[in-house]
């Protein structure tokens, strides 16, 4: 990792939510300094790279994700946004050839420490997927699944109701909790998946293009829902839809892919990470500007 | 000018009729495939017809007392149905007691736990195992399973016994059950597993609460195919259960016994040959019909069950 290969410029890479408190942009990237970890920070990525076999999907990402905010990842296809998102709850473990270098600090603890159990990670950091993936079980059983695997005994009716209410789905399904979740519409299924994730009371919710399979009305509902719950949860969302990122997120990270000339593979890099309104109105990097104004990607 | 107007025919239905040669060829190809499909139905129908005719001859001439006696001794015109049906059921139950846990366990391991490289080796090995000739397993059941396992379990077990035959059939059935079950679990969408892991479920929870319920129709199918295979298995039983002539009715699995299939095999090959007196020849078809009806019922019930419990995804 020679300095000249770094395409990011230092100030953009380490931009923080409260610029006044974190202006230490020139400190060396590879040296964590626990004393200046922002108390509102949930995640700190340090020099994170992900490989699939020998293929490097994304490299040298440094960023800090803050509590109770919506952080959006945008960028063209194949720039490793989803790959990166799946590092936050170790879903990449499910891919045999995936390998992670660097650190994902969650409240200062490296999630990739050998002592960390991914099962515990995922109970705190939930996930909503691109395609709605309810279990082929009843609506009730879908929501109750998480609490059950977490060892909650007894009647889960209250948890089910609370989760469905928070996901703004209760009124639509309260009379058919025993029906199969597969009978719901796509948008309802996705809200069910969000309710399912909320049922285990996670701190963080990762959303991987949650609206890409939905129509605009369903998308609007999911966005309203995100707005609603962000006071309680930290949300990270990957989206292909720039308007969506602009509408819902507080902070926005723009990724792009650099083509490796020798192997003809594409590796994702973080270009810029800042407050969303700045990203869309006055980005620091020309590549960001080109992308958000539609001149590229 | 005049030339072109001659060459360009007026547009009509004929212009859209297409090449007649190609249409004929299409029809011929369709005929060939239809014949292939129809032939299998015709053969099936002929088999059922033959079975039914000879079975009718047998049933109309046999006396009821002959069908409910002390044992299956076709040479002495004693055709006790209980003996061979119970023999078949015992062998099948023992076989499935062996094959279900082993086969399903192997399938869960291959589908949920094994790394791709391990699976790449194990799955073909399993399929090779499925092609072991049953005569080899029959011999193995007689010379190893019977003395080393069954006779250790029970002092009074004879060398030829139903338990050894059952275990042998079970081993023979295991790869088949494992293979079909693994296919069923493998076709459960990855998204469902991810949903489960994403909720903080462990591997065993994901397998038991998500993958197996979603694959249940395939797993039941694996079980049913296993049962059909076990009921239909002949050679292992003929060698290891040891009732080549006939058998007394017995519920003791450590005893010699006769199954429907082995009874048919010995009828068709034994010294009491098919040409034997009376209804011996027809009894063969009778047993065949019995077997046919049993497996048919099994499949019908399995189908009903699967339709009831299936989770659609």
């Amino acid at each position: 990792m020679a300095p000249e290969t770094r395409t990011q410029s230092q100030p953009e890479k380490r931009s923080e939510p409260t610029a006044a408190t974190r202006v230490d942009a020139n400190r060396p990237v590879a040296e964590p300094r626990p004393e200046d970890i922002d108390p509102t920070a949930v995640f700190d990525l340090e020099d994170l790279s992900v490989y699939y076999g020998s293929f490097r999907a994304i490299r040298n990402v440094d960023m800090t994700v803050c509590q109770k905010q919506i952080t959006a990842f945008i960028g063209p296809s194949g720039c490793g946004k989803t790959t990166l998102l799946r590092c936050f709850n170790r879903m990449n473990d499910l891919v045999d050839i995936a390998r992670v270098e660097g650190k994902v600090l969650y409240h200062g603890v490296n999630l990739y420490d050998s002592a960390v159990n991914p099962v515990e990670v995922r109970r705190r950091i939930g996930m909503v997927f691109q395609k709605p993936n309810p279990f082929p079980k009843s609506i009730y059983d879908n929501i109750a699944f998480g609490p059950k695997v977490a060892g909650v005994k007894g009647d889960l009716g209250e948890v089910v109701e609370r989760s469905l209410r928070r996901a703004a789905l209760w009124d639509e399904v309260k009379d058919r909790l025993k029906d199969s979740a597969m009978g719901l519409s796509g948008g309802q299924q996705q809200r069910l998946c969000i309710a399912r994730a909320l049922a285990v009371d996670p701190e963080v919710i990762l959303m991987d293009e949650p609206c890409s399979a939905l129509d605009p009305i369903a998308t609007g509902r999911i966005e309203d829902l995100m707005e609603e719950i962000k006071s309680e949860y930290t949300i990270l969302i990957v989206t292909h839809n720039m308007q969506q990122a602009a509408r819902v997120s507080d902070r926005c990270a723009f990724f792009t892919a650099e083509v490796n000339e020798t192997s003809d593979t594409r590796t994702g890099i973080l270009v810029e990470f800042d407050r969303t309104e700045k990203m869309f109105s006055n980005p620091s990097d020309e590549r960001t500007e080109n992308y958000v104004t539609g001149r590229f990607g | 000018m005049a030339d072109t107007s001659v060459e360009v025919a007026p547009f009509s239905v004929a212009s859209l009729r297409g090449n007649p040669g190609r249409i004929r060829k299409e029809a011929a190809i369709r005929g060939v495939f239809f014949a292939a499909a129809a032939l299998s139905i015709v053969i099936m129908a002929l088999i059922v017809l033959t079975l039914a005719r000879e079975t009718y001859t047998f049933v109309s001439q046999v006396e009821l007392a002959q069908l409910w006696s002390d044992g299956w001794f076709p040479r002495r015109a004693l055709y006790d149905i209980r003996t061979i049906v119970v023999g078949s059921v015992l062998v099948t139950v023992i076989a499935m007691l062996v094959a279900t846990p082993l086969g399903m366990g192997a399938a869960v391991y291959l589908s949920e736990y094994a790394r791709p490289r391990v699976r790449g080796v194990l799955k073909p090995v399993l399929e090779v195992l499925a092609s072991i000739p049953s005569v080899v397993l029959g011999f193995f059941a007689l010379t190893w399973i019977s003395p080393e396992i069954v006779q250790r379990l029970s002092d009074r077990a004879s060398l030829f016994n139903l338990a050894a035959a059952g275990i042998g059939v079970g081993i023979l059935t295991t790869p088949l059950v494992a293979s079909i079950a693994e296919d069923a679990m493998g076709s459960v969408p990855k998204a469902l597993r991810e949903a489960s892991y994403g909720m903080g479920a462990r591997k065993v929870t994901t397998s038991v609460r998500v993958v197996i319920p979603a694959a249940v129709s395939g797993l039941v199918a694996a079980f049913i195919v296993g049962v059909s295979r076990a009921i239909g298995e002949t050679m292992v039983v003929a060698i290891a259960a040891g009732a080549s002539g006939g058998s007394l009715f017995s519920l003791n699995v450590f005893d010699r016994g006769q199954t429907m299939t082995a009874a048919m095999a010995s009828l068709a090959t034994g010294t009491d040959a098919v040409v034997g007196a009376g209804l011996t020849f027809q009894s063969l078809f009778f047993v065949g019909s019995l077997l046919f009806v049993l497996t048919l019922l099994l499949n019908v019930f399995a189908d009903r069950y699967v339709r009831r419990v299936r989770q659609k995804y």
Side-chain angles (χ1 to χ4, degrees), chain A residues 134-137 180-183 189, chain B residues 189 192 213-217 306-313:
Chain A
F135 299 121
K137 302 173 185 289
S180 170
M182 307 314 281
Q189 287 188 4
Chain B
L192 288 185
V216 75
S217 62
V306 165
R307 239 174 257 195
R308 199 155 53 81
V309 300
R310 175 158 55 193
Q311 295 183 335
K312 287 216 173 81
Y313 49 77

Side-chain angles (χ1 to χ4, degrees), chain A residues 37 42-44 103-113 116:
Chain A
I37 286 180
V42 177
F43 290 106
D44 254 302
K103 285 181 180 171
V104 180
L105 296 175
Y106 173 60
H107 296 301
V109 176
N110 184 11
L111 294 182
Y112 282 88
D113 191 293
V116 168

Side-chain angles (χ1 to χ4, degrees), chain A residues 86 89 91 94-96 119 122-123 125-127 129 133-137 145-146 148-149 182 196-197 200, chain B residues 114-116 190-203 205-206 209-210 213-214 311-313:
Chain A
R86 286 167 156 259
N89 69 343
M91 283 304 269
L94 304 181
V95 182
D96 280 293
V119 166
R122 295 179 196 135
R123 284 192 187 156
I125 304 166
M127 191 155 201
F129 298 83
N133 57 354
F135 299 121
K137 302 173 185 289
F145 182 86
K148 270 186 191 159
V149 303
M182 307 314 281
R196 182 176 64 184
V200 287
Chain B
R115 293 185 162 275
K190 204 168 141 250
L192 288 185
R193 290 188 185 84
E194 289 193 331
S196 174
Y197 289 128
M199 299 297 303
R202 287 171 300 150
K203 211 146 213 176
T205 317
T206 303
R209 295 219 183 144
V210 176
Q311 295 183 335
K312 287 216 173 81
Y313 49 77

Side-chain angles (χ1 to χ4, degrees), chain A residues 70 245-246 249-252 274-281:
Chain A
I70 299 178
S249 69
D250 300 295
R251 296 171 60 74
C252 187
D274 213 323
R275 282 176 295 111
T276 300
E277 69 241 47
K278 180 162 186 300
M279 290 289 281
F280 282 89
S281 59

Side-chain angles (χ1 to χ4, degrees), chain A residues 14 40 44 84 89 128 143 149 163 166 170 202 205 210 216 229 245:
Chain A
R14 267 287 166 185
T40 64
D44 254 302
L84 182 67
N89 69 343
V128 175
I143 308 290
V149 303
S163 307
R166 270 194 287 187
W170 173 252
I205 297 169
I229 62 175

Side-chain angles (χ1 to χ4, degrees), chain B residues 137-190:
Chain B
L137 246 150
F139 194 66
F140 175 70
L142 178 63
T143 58
W144 195 84
I145 296 174
S146 177
E148 296 296 329
I149 298 178
V150 179
Q151 290 191 322
R152 274 166 207 246
L153 286 174
S154 162
D155 302 335
R156 274 177 289 171
S158 63
L159 181 61
F160 294 99
N161 60 65
L162 283 172
I167 296 171
V169 173
I171 294 172
L172 202 68
T173 315
T174 300
L176 187 71
V177 173
S179 186
I180 301 173
E182 203 267 340
D183 284 342
M185 287 194 270
S187 62
V188 172
K190 204 168 141 250

